[in-house]
Amino acid sequence: MASRIRLEDRECPLSTTVQHVGEWWTLLILHDAFDGYTRFDQFQQSLNISTSMLTTRLKTLVADGLLERRPYQTNPVRHEYVLTERGRSLRPVVVALAAWGNQHLAPEERAMILVDARTGEEAEPVVVDARTGRSLDDSEMYVFTAGPAASEAMRARYAELERQFPVPHSRASE
């Protein structure tokens, strides 16, 4: 069967990220890891996930460099799964996804909220440009364009988008 994935999708950072974390259980395991869970039985009890599914997901997270498998007991050997720096760097993404979900619920319907650990005040996560502090939710203000490593197919995609939807400031110079 021919691949349904376009060449530009294979190089797209969104597509490659979804390869790593796009599966439902994966995000839930990472969420538990951010909450401090490290052991197989903790993940299994928290998520009520089958042993085989959890084993598969943990192996994938280790192979992708998001978790590190470390022995914590020698007789018998038992392992824990600890977030790597790469794994920890996904926390803002998971926070943003949870915030998006909560944004569409009434406050009394939210089962989980993000709070400031010192004050207990509810946080309101937003994704901003580090240089300007401006929110990135405006799709007219912030647009994607082909990057330096883009293939011809990716460059053609964004050249076509710019022809269809011109922006005052060229995408290529951003």
Side-chain angles (χ1 to χ4, degrees), residues 80-100:
E80 63 182 351
Y81 297 86
V82 180
L83 285 160
T84 62
E85 183 59 37
R86 184 176 187 187
R88 284 189 297 278
S89 72
L90 274 169
R91 188 168 191 275
V93 175
V94 173
V95 166
L97 286 170
W100 180 85

Side-chain angles (χ1 to χ4, degrees), residues 9 18 22 49 73 141 145:
D9 290 334
V18 169
I49 183 175
Q73 178 179 307
M141 177 65 75
T145 191

Side-chain angles (χ1 to χ4, degrees):
M1 177 183 258
S3 173
R4 295 180 187 184
I5 299 173
R6 301 172 304 174
L7 175 60
E8 60 266 32
D9 290 334
R10 290 185 203 149
E11 65 181 302
C12 171
L14 181 57
S15 296
T16 56
T17 300
V18 169
Q19 271 183 258
H20 297 292
V21 298
E23 198 273 331
W24 188 65
W25 285 116
T26 299
L27 284 174
L28 296 177
I29 292 167
L30 286 170
H31 176 256
D32 277 1
F34 295 134
D35 280 349
Y37 295 147
T38 60
R39 298 191 179 166
F40 189 96
D41 59 330
Q42 291 173 320
F43 291 118
Q44 191 169 35
Q45 183 177 3
S46 170
L47 299 171
N48 196 25
I49 183 175
S50 74
T51 300
S52 62
M53 180 60 75
L54 181 56
T55 298
T56 300
R57 293 289 100 216
L58 288 172
K59 282 182 181 179
T60 300
L61 287 164
V62 169
D64 288 347
L66 301 174
L67 294 176
E68 180 183 344
R69 186 174 182 244
R70 295 182 189 163
Y72 70 87
Q73 178 179 307
T74 56
N75 195 9
V77 176
R78 301 263 160 115
H79 294 89
E80 63 182 351
Y81 297 86
V82 180
L83 285 160
T84 62
E85 183 59 37
R86 184 176 187 187
R88 284 189 297 278
S89 72
L90 274 169
R91 188 168 191 275
V93 175
V94 173
V95 166
L97 286 170
W100 180 85
N102 275 341
Q103 186 178 34
H104 300 282
L105 296 172
E108 65 275 6
E109 295 174 321
R110 297 174 181 172
M112 175 187 74
I113 59 173
L114 184 69
V115 297
D116 182 309
R118 289 169 287 166
T119 67
E121 292 287 321
E122 185 172 353
E124 193 173 331
V126 294
V127 180
V128 299
D129 174 34
R131 288 182 299 115
T132 65
R134 292 191 320 238
S135 176
L136 297 178
D137 62 354
D138 184 342
S139 62
E140 290 183 19
M141 177 65 75
Y142 292 97
V143 297
F144 287 105
T145 191
S151 67
E152 286 305 313
M154 183 68 84
R155 291 180 191 286
R157 169 190 169 93
Y158 285 108
E160 180 60 27
L161 280 172
E162 190 167 333
R163 278 192 291 281
Q164 289 179 21
F165 310 104
V167 292
H169 180 63
S170 171
R171 295 170 189 257
S173 63
E174 289 188 352

